Amino acid sequence: MTGVCGCCGALRPRYKRLVDNIFPEDPEDGLVKANMEKLTFYALSAPEKLDRIGAYLSERLSRDVARHRYGYVCIAMEALDQLLMACHCQSINLFVESFLKMVRKLLEADKPDLQILGTNSFVKFANIEEDTPSYHRSYDFFVSRFSEMCHSSYEDPDIRTKIRMAGIKGLQGVVRKTVNDELQANIWDPQHMDKIVPSLLFNLQQGEGTESRSPSPLQASEKEKEKESPAELTERCFRELLGRAAYGNIKNAVNPVLMHLDNHSLWEGKSFAVRCFKIIMYSIQSQHSHLVIQQLLGHLDANSKNSATVRAGIVEVLLEAAAIASSGSVGPTVLEVFNTLLRQLRLSVDYELTGCYDSCGNIGSKVIKEHEERQLQEAVIKTIGSFANTLPTYQRSEVMLFIIGKIPVPGMHPTLASAKSGFEGSRMIQVMLLKSLLQVTTGFQTTNMLTALPSSFLDPLLSLTLMEDAEIRLLVLEILVSLIDRHDNQPKFSSISIISDISVLKLRVDKCSRQDNLFMKKHSQQLYRHIYMACKEENSGQRHFETLYALLALISMELANEEVVVDLIRLALAMQDLALSNEDMLPVYNRCAVHALSAAYLNLICQLTTVPSFCQHVHEVIETRQKEVPFLLPESVFIENPSVPKSVDKLEGDVLFLQSKITEVLGGSGYNTDRLATPYVPQFTDEDRLSKRKSIGETISLQVEVESRNSPEKEERTPAEEITFETLKNAIVDSIGMEEQERERRRQVVEKFQKAPFEEIAAHCGARATSLQSKLNQIFEITIRPPPSPSGTITAGYGQMQSRSVPVYEMKFPDLCVY
Amino acid sequence: MNAWSNEREIIINPGISPVFVRMSMEDYDHLFKIVLIGNAGVGKTCLVRRFTQGLFPPGQGATIGVDFMIKTVEINGEKVKLQIWDTAGQERFRSITQSYYRSANALILTYDITCEDSFRCLPEWLREIEQYANSKVVTVLVGNKIDLTERREVLRERAEEFAEAQSMLYLETSAKESDNVEKLFLDLACKLIREAKQNSLVNSVSSPMPGEGKTISYLNCCS
């Protein structure tokens, strides 16, 4: 070989001679450094020859590969690398062709050494920033081959690890090389992402397996010397990839992750899926996080018929992802996120009740494991809370309204529960939705109760239908507590007891704002009634009374003005009467509990009012009770095995709180004694009153109508002719018809506002605003005439002024008024 | 698209005479990507090993993800480089394997003649091909393990009928006995060459190849 070269050396072109000279006689000696410098110098001074040098070098290299002369292969590759590094960007474009061909050649080889050599060179090349576009370069093969290397199953584990790591580095290189070059193959295309992402995940997952298998100490120390494990490298690469993903690429990058987790059944285990998505959420640009959440939600929907463990896994991941994304997790479609989660909750309830995934019960449907569905439901509820936590107050109250709108309240909303699940189904859904609501309300702090809790929210929540069931009742009370508590006082009232000095609680109280007062004016009676009615329920347990106590305490802390305090004291006394009179045939335990509740509450409120004589009275009664009837105090009632007597009738005297006494002592401090003296009777809201007294109301209005119709005509016609039984009957029937029409109309309006898109409603209101505008214009035109000009000659300047200053009545209402 | 990319690979260095190309820069005239698919354990890896290395590895483990082999063969004086991507049959690797269908020039759909199940899964595989592979892909149906005659569960006629209905080529092989393995890959290569040539005729008339501009620089700088 050398002989041949020697003889025709003079005839060979200079670049070929230079290239030949860098190869030593014995490949063991390595690259001939001095000659390599000569070659580099030549290439730099004659860049037009660079591609020829490259072509010749690669020709030699492929020959050496074919002849298994690996020493020379390495030398050739080293030379290619050095030339690549030394030469300027502009001139390497064609040279790169030969270079990549050589890398490819090495990657095609069987030998792991050559594959790794090729990869290393490729990585070096990938780190060069080229400034000339290269339209025709294709990295398909590299992506395919590197992905394949990531899955290497070479027998020797050390070499296998090396090949896999080379694969990962190679993929990282391809991504680096192409990601910023719009002219090149789009690395974000599914055809590439579907290879790259699963290959990375596969290695990430492998790492988990080996980490648990603790290596022997000797191996460990050896491993420490090595820079990085494949899993660590993979994670770094994966993070880099995700960090570079633009808005439009997120989907293509995340989809293969979902697919991989599906195919490898990794949702069930949770930990790996959670880890993946933690990496994703922390690596992507934060403004894109809601896209990932959306994809996860979509995937959850797509897996609706999959086993509960899979769905629970996805929900778990959602939970973690939402926490990481925090404010960015929900994105523009707030309600859609909650809608999806609530739908999953409903589905799960349905599955649990029906026991199969298909309503028709196909043969293929899997057996539903009830406890798994339960776990899923808990996870969904937790996730709902986690999402809600990221929302600002106004959106949170929107979500609360949305959830309450989904609660099947018979008579209030059309029942959502499917017919087959029936009563139990709607009860379970009520429980689930209320639990979700509780999650959403936890930590909810609003300065404006009035807007945050409109009637449309409170009415269904406080409706009587949510009262009967003990679990549901407790949930509603807990929701109320967490809504009203805005200063984290709730934990201080988690148990019910007589506290002799409330300063130990270190309560945080702000002055009650104007909105709070308005809120109480509007809704206080509803709240009192709810508390009162809750005391009347037979199936209450300790938790109920504790929560009632917390609710009463928090109302007095958060929302109390003088009037409210008076009402609350009346309420407490009314509760005592309720327990005393026992019209509702309550069990003895409940009666004692209500006594204890009212005592504990009066003890609290008397200290809050800081009226000494009031405190004294309460204190005396409590002391007497301690001596004579301890079972009327929380300390004896709300314990594990309360000892209550067989009967609690015939209570009188000093063991009871006296309305007259309290009125007297508070009257001295300027409280409204008239009001205090009147015993509390639960008042019904307008709506309830309306529904109860409707018949009476109708009768009255009918009478009025009849009278007014007849009175002007009395002289002309005899009343006997006019009012017969028939006419009356007709009138009644008519009015009922009218009433029904009216109701129908109302329902339609409500439905419209519930279902129509926002734009439509806005447009509708806008139209009304314009008609108002035109009416106003008409009126103004009639009433206000333009002032007659003083002399009849108007200067140009004056005219301009006029046109500039628009009279008040011509001003358009700003569009915002529509909303 | 495939044919186009092949074309590109071949004349990646225009301006250098074909002879020179063969000797130095490119050691092939055609490059084809062949992907093996089919149920786990039907012998895909063994077929590839037999063809590329002439071995029959007993106790071959399940393939992880994808495996890659290359083999250059000479057909009618033309060097044909076959890039063979051997995919895992296991369900869990389905997403990574599917990503390899797209760029394939040919698919070898393999089943085990001693395993009725692997035959029954074929329609499912065809759906996958339909979904993920190029529409011009050449598909060959291969019934492997004919050395185990006594355990045959799928009759030859049945498979032939099926292949014909789906307009696929059909071949029965034995990786162990090396029956029909060479024939499988060589026949496939022939067919691919024919198709490539047809396509190149169509293509060369209609569109100039990208990168042709480079020729000039080569002509200019004779040393």
Side-chain angles (χ1 to χ4, degrees):
Chain A
M1 166 89 200
T2 38
V4 177
C5 282
C7 103
C8 57
L11 300 171
R12 295 171 71 78
R14 186 180 149 94
Y15 76 91
K16 282 197 179 178
R17 272 182 283 135
L18 281 166
V19 168
D20 286 338
N21 287 341
I22 64 165
F23 291 93
E25 289 275 335
D26 178 5
E28 294 292 308
D29 295 345
L31 186 67
V32 183
K33 293 242 161 56
N35 290 340
M36 185 61 213
E37 271 169 31
K38 280 184 198 159
L39 176 65
T40 313
F41 180 76
Y42 176 74
L44 283 172
S45 54
E48 75 277 1
K49 293 285 194 303
L50 194 56
D51 42 323
R52 295 240 135 184
I53 297 172
Y56 182 59
L57 256 175
S58 52
E59 179 200 332
R60 279 200 62 137
L61 187 139
S62 47
R63 203 165 56 211
D64 290 336
V65 170
R67 293 174 191 172
H68 305 284
R69 293 191 299 208
Y70 300 122
Y72 284 125
V73 172
C74 294
I75 291 166
M77 215 54 218
E78 198 181 337
L80 276 166
D81 284 351
Q82 285 197 17
L83 282 173
L84 196 62
M85 296 300 153
C87 296
H88 295 294
C89 305
Q90 293 91 333
S91 47
I92 63 170
N93 207 351
L94 286 173
F95 176 65
V96 165
E97 290 305 323
S98 338
F99 174 80
L100 286 180
K101 198 153 295 141
M102 282 311 93
V103 173
R104 186 184 292 228
K105 186 88 204 166
L106 293 178
L107 289 178
E108 281 172 358
D110 280 344
K111 285 253 174 194
D113 289 348
L114 294 186
Q115 294 169 16
I116 293 165
L117 183 70
T119 311
N120 290 342
S121 288
F122 182 81
V123 170
K124 279 180 207 152
F125 159 72
N127 289 328
I128 299 172
E129 278 184 38
E130 287 173 277
D131 47 10
T132 27
S134 41
Y135 312 93
H136 54 276
R137 228 181 265 160
S138 157
Y139 293 99
D140 286 11
F141 173 75
F142 293 104
V143 172
S144 301
R145 177 61 168 155
F146 288 138
S147 298
E148 186 271 331
M149 283 163 73
C150 285
H151 290 91
S152 168
S153 48
Y154 202 86
E155 295 86 19
D156 183 335
D158 282 347
I159 295 173
R160 181 168 65 217
T161 306
K162 277 184 188 156
I163 296 175
R164 286 187 182 178
M165 283 182 77
I168 299 160
K169 284 181 194 159
L171 287 178
Q172 192 176 24
V174 179
V175 171
R176 276 192 195 160
K177 193 78 206 161
T178 52
V179 81
N180 291 325
D181 195 343
E182 285 171 15
L183 291 167
Q184 283 185 2
N186 188 359
I187 198 70
W188 299 104
D189 278 350
Q191 58 160 322
H192 299 309
M193 278 296 131
D194 289 352
K195 291 192 183 89
I196 294 173
V197 173
S199 304
L200 294 178
L201 291 181
F202 174 73
N203 279 285
L204 205 59
Q205 190 188 335
Q206 292 294 306
E208 290 217 323
T210 50
E211 270 159 33
S212 59
R213 250 184 281 131
S214 56
S216 64
L218 203 148
Q219 272 181 314
S221 64
E222 261 174 47
K223 264 191 180 161
E224 270 168 15
K225 282 179 204 158
E226 281 173 358
K227 313 156 273 182
E228 235 176 349
S229 77
E232 284 164 346
L233 175 68
T234 310
E235 187 173 329
R236 208 155 50 83
C237 177
F238 193 37
R239 283 179 187 280
E240 187 182 327
L241 175 77
L242 291 160
R244 290 166 186 266
Y247 184 86
N249 309 136
I250 297 281
K251 202 169 161 246
N252 285 352
V254 174
N255 252 344
V257 179
L258 299 174
M259 293 292 291
H260 183 88
L261 295 174
D262 281 352
N263 284 337
H264 288 250
S265 327
L266 288 166
W267 294 110
E268 284 102 326
K270 286 176 193 171
S271 66
F272 183 71
V274 167
R275 184 169 165 221
C276 281
F277 274 88
K278 273 188 173 165
I279 293 175
I280 294 174
M281 296 308 284
Y282 280 124
S283 307
I284 55 166
Q285 294 159 43
S286 58
Q287 71 269 26
H288 301 153
S289 20
H290 73 271
L291 288 175
V292 180
I293 304 273
Q294 265 175 16
Q295 264 185 289
L296 276 168
L297 284 167
H299 198 69
L300 181 60
D301 268 349
N303 278 285
S304 286
K305 299 217 164 170
N306 219 322
S307 75
T309 45
V310 171
R311 278 175 288 145
I314 302 174
V315 171
E316 185 88 359
V317 170
L318 263 170
L319 178 69
E320 297 282 342
I324 295 166
S326 69
S327 56
S329 64
V330 170
T333 51
V334 185
L335 292 184
E336 192 48 48
V337 171
F338 289 92
N339 199 19
T340 307
L341 289 169
L342 291 178
R343 187 166 58 234
Q344 288 300 323
L345 205 53
R346 275 187 45 76
L347 269 175
S348 171
V349 169
D350 276 355
Y351 291 160
E352 192 188 326
L353 286 171
T354 56
C356 67
Y357 292 111
D358 282 314
S359 47
C360 39
N362 280 345
I363 314 152
S365 63
K366 290 161 244 167
V367 185
I368 305 245
K369 294 195 184 100
E370 211 168 281
H371 69 277
E372 286 176 357
E373 292 292 343
R374 283 284 159 94
Q375 279 172 0
L376 168 69
Q377 288 154 18
E378 293 302 317
V380 173
I381 289 168
K382 231 169 107 188
T383 309
I384 288 175
S386 170
F387 273 110
N389 265 323
T390 67
L391 295 175
T393 311
Y394 73 97
Q395 279 188 330
R396 233 206 257 206
S397 45
E398 256 174 54
V399 170
M400 279 156 46
L401 259 174
F402 182 71
I403 298 177
I404 199 105
K406 297 245 167 200
I407 295 182
V409 179
M412 276 285 194
H413 295 278
T415 314
L416 289 163
S418 47
K420 62 175 184 291
S421 48
F423 173 75
E424 179 58 15
S426 79
R427 196 196 85 89
M428 273 179 74
I429 287 163
Q430 281 177 345
V431 171
M432 291 301 153
L433 290 173
L434 286 172
K435 278 184 180 170
S436 315
L437 197 56
L438 184 60
Q439 285 285 336
V440 175
T441 53
T442 312
F444 175 75
Q445 294 187 340
T446 174
T447 49
N448 191 343
M449 289 284 240
L450 200 59
T451 47
L453 306 175
S455 303
S456 50
F457 175 74
L458 280 174
D459 289 350
L461 185 65
L462 298 177
S463 78
L464 293 170
T465 41
L466 296 184
M467 193 73 128
E468 286 151 25
D469 187 275
E471 189 184 2
I472 291 175
R473 187 165 66 248
L474 183 61
L475 280 169
V476 170
L477 289 175
E478 280 170 344
I479 290 167
L480 287 171
V481 164
S482 80
L483 282 173
I484 290 172
D485 179 32
R486 290 172 295 176
H487 295 90
D488 285 330
N489 287 323
Q490 191 265 326
K492 295 160 192 163
F493 300 108
S494 57
S495 69
I496 176 167
S497 64
I498 305 281
I499 303 149
S500 52
D501 183 4
I502 58 163
S503 63
V504 296
L505 292 177
K506 296 199 177 70
L507 298 172
R508 294 200 297 153
V509 186
D510 272 348
K511 209 183 164 299
C512 185
S513 71
R514 208 176 66 85
Q515 280 97 346
D516 293 347
N517 284 331
L518 283 170
F519 173 77
M520 280 314 271
K521 205 164 244 164
K522 205 169 167 197
H523 298 295
S524 59
Q525 293 305 326
Q526 236 176 321
L527 285 170
Y528 303 151
R529 187 189 50 156
H530 193 83
I531 296 169
Y532 186 79
M533 301 306 268
C535 291
K536 278 175 118 172
E537 291 294 334
E538 223 170 278
N539 53 1
S540 291
Q542 184 175 342
R543 278 295 300 148
H544 291 84
F545 291 105
E546 281 169 352
T547 318
L548 278 169
Y549 174 65
L551 181 57
L552 280 166
L554 289 167
I555 294 176
S556 3
M557 318 260 316
E558 295 278 349
L559 300 163
N561 55 24
E562 215 173 273
E563 197 183 323
V564 172
V565 169
V566 168
D567 280 347
L568 285 168
I569 295 170
R570 288 170 63 214
L571 177 61
L573 291 169
M575 278 151 53
Q576 180 180 266
D577 290 344
L578 170 79
L580 267 181
S581 68
N582 199 24
E583 283 167 4
D584 298 277
M585 308 296 283
L586 287 173
V588 176
Y589 172 80
N590 287 45
R591 295 173 66 186
C592 291
V594 174
H595 272 298
L597 170 63
S598 111
Y601 178 65
L602 282 170
N603 174 62
L604 177 78
I605 191 93
C606 76
Q607 295 185 53
L608 285 173
T609 56
T610 62
V611 176
S613 44
F614 183 24
C615 291
Q616 207 193 337
H617 172 67
V618 173
H619 192 65
E620 278 168 15
V621 174
I622 290 172
E623 269 192 349
T624 324
R625 281 193 186 184
Q626 268 162 356
K627 284 182 207 134
E628 294 175 16
V629 280
F631 50 86
L632 296 189
L633 290 173
E635 280 75 7
S636 322
V637 179
F638 302 120
I639 50 175
E640 223 163 281
N641 296 307
S643 57
V644 291
K646 289 222 169 72
S647 131
V648 281
D649 294 326
K650 291 183 204 139
L651 290 170
E652 52 192 20
D654 295 341
V655 296
L656 297 179
F657 301 97
L658 297 174
Q659 182 125 26
S660 53
K661 179 84 179 159
I662 292 172
T663 312
E664 189 190 313
V665 294
L666 284 178
S669 305
Y671 285 90
N672 184 344
T673 46
D674 289 350
R675 202 175 167 86
L676 259 174
T678 7
Y680 170 80
V681 179
Q683 280 183 27
F684 291 92
T685 55
D686 296 346
E687 205 169 300
D688 296 314
R689 219 177 2 232
L690 247 168
S691 64
K692 293 225 163 159
R693 299 190 188 152
K694 202 183 273 166
S695 51
I696 309 166
E698 295 302 337
T699 329
I700 295 167
S701 68
L702 188 68
Q703 282 169 352
V704 173
E705 207 183 344
V706 170
E707 273 172 37
S708 63
R709 195 193 291 165
N710 290 322
S711 49
E713 299 159 329
K714 254 181 191 165
E715 289 98 297
E716 291 167 33
R717 297 175 192 179
T718 53
E721 276 176 358
E722 191 57 30
I723 303 174
T724 60
F725 175 69
E726 207 56 37
T727 48
L728 265 174
K729 199 178 142 193
N730 281 343
I732 291 167
V733 171
D734 271 1
S735 72
I736 288 169
M738 289 279 282
E739 188 196 319
E740 259 164 12
Q741 275 176 7
E742 177 70 4
R743 208 182 295 152
E744 175 66 14
R745 203 180 65 84
R746 261 187 221 160
R747 199 187 56 74
Q748 279 173 352
V749 170
V750 168
E751 200 170 299
K752 187 178 169 192
F753 274 85
Q754 275 172 348
K755 288 185 180 164
F758 177 70
E759 288 79 10
E760 196 179 298
I761 296 169
H764 178 74
C765 295
R768 280 221 305 249
T770 33
S771 76
L772 173 68
Q773 181 81 46
S774 65
K775 275 280 181 319
L776 278 174
N777 281 341
Q778 279 175 13
I779 295 165
F780 284 136
E781 262 168 44
I782 296 161
T783 52
I784 308 167
R785 305 237 167 252
S789 50
S791 60
T793 56
I794 303 161
T795 60
Y798 182 69
Q800 273 174 353
M801 286 292 285
Q802 224 179 13
S803 64
R804 242 181 257 151
S805 67
V806 183
V808 179
Y809 58 84
E810 278 180 20
M811 267 194 257
K812 283 262 186 293
F813 286 113
D815 277 350
L816 273 176
C817 284
V818 170
Y819 312 127
Chain B
M1 187 224 150
N2 271 317
W4 187 81
S5 68
N6 291 335
E7 215 53 42
R8 210 165 48 162
E9 307 255 19
I10 296 158
I11 22 171
I12 204 128
N13 270 299
I16 302 171
S17 69
V19 182
F20 184 61
V21 167
R22 194 172 302 166
M23 280 176 62
S24 63
M25 287 309 288
E26 292 299 350
D27 44 7
Y28 57 85
D29 302 300
H30 297 280
L31 173 81
F32 298 119
K33 293 169 203 164
I34 299 171
V35 176
L36 279 94
I37 56 173
N39 274 19
V42 297
K44 297 182 292 296
T45 306
C46 291
L47 278 175
V48 177
R49 284 288 171 96
R50 170 59 77 189
F51 176 63
T52 56
Q53 298 169 335
L55 312 165
F56 179 75
Q60 173 69 35
T63 307
I64 300 169
V66 210
D67 213 353
F68 172 75
M69 291 280 167
I70 208 134
K71 169 118 179 170
T72 311
V73 292
E74 201 168 314
I75 292 168
N76 303 330
E78 287 182 301
K79 284 208 169 168
V80 181
K81 193 163 167 179
L82 300 175
Q83 255 183 28
I84 303 166
W85 300 93
D86 170 26
T87 66
Q90 286 171 341
E91 193 90 30
R92 65 194 178 111
F93 290 110
R94 215 38 73 79
S95 64
I96 181 89
T97 54
Q98 279 159 356
S99 67
Y100 281 84
Y101 294 7
R102 195 189 316 246
S103 54
N105 301 98
L107 294 170
I108 297 179
L109 175 53
T110 317
Y111 74 96
D112 178 353
I113 60 144
T114 69
C115 174
E116 172 77 26
D117 265 359
S118 70
F119 184 77
R120 250 194 253 132
C121 283
L122 292 179
E124 198 184 308
W125 284 105
L126 289 174
R127 268 197 298 282
E128 289 228 332
I129 294 170
E130 180 89 12
Q131 196 177 345
Y132 298 103
N134 189 303
S135 58
K136 286 183 191 161
V137 75
V138 176
T139 313
V140 187
L141 181 65
V142 171
N144 193 28
K145 307 196 188 176
I146 48 166
D147 48 302
L148 303 170
T149 11
E150 72 284 0
R151 280 164 54 192
R152 183 190 271 274
E153 287 182 10
V154 184
L155 289 177
R156 191 192 175 94
E157 293 72 33
R158 206 172 135 209
E160 270 173 347
E161 210 170 284
F162 179 79
E164 200 172 337
Q166 305 292 336
S167 54
M168 291 186 285
L169 306 173
Y170 179 69
L171 213 59
E172 291 198 341
T173 60
S174 162
K176 193 178 179 189
E177 306 291 334
S178 194
D179 274 350
N180 271 344
V181 179
E182 289 274 316
K183 181 175 159 57
L184 163 67
F185 284 95
L186 295 182
D187 282 2
L188 191 55
C190 285
K191 185 165 170 62
L192 287 169
I193 292 169
R194 273 201 306 279
E195 298 220 338
K197 281 186 175 157
Q198 269 174 8
N199 280 328
S200 72
L201 273 177
V202 177
N203 279 345
S204 61
V205 175
S206 60
S207 65
M209 291 312 293
E212 267 182 350
K214 274 191 291 178
T215 324
I216 300 153
S217 67
Y218 277 98
L219 290 174
N220 283 349
C221 54
C222 295
S223 41

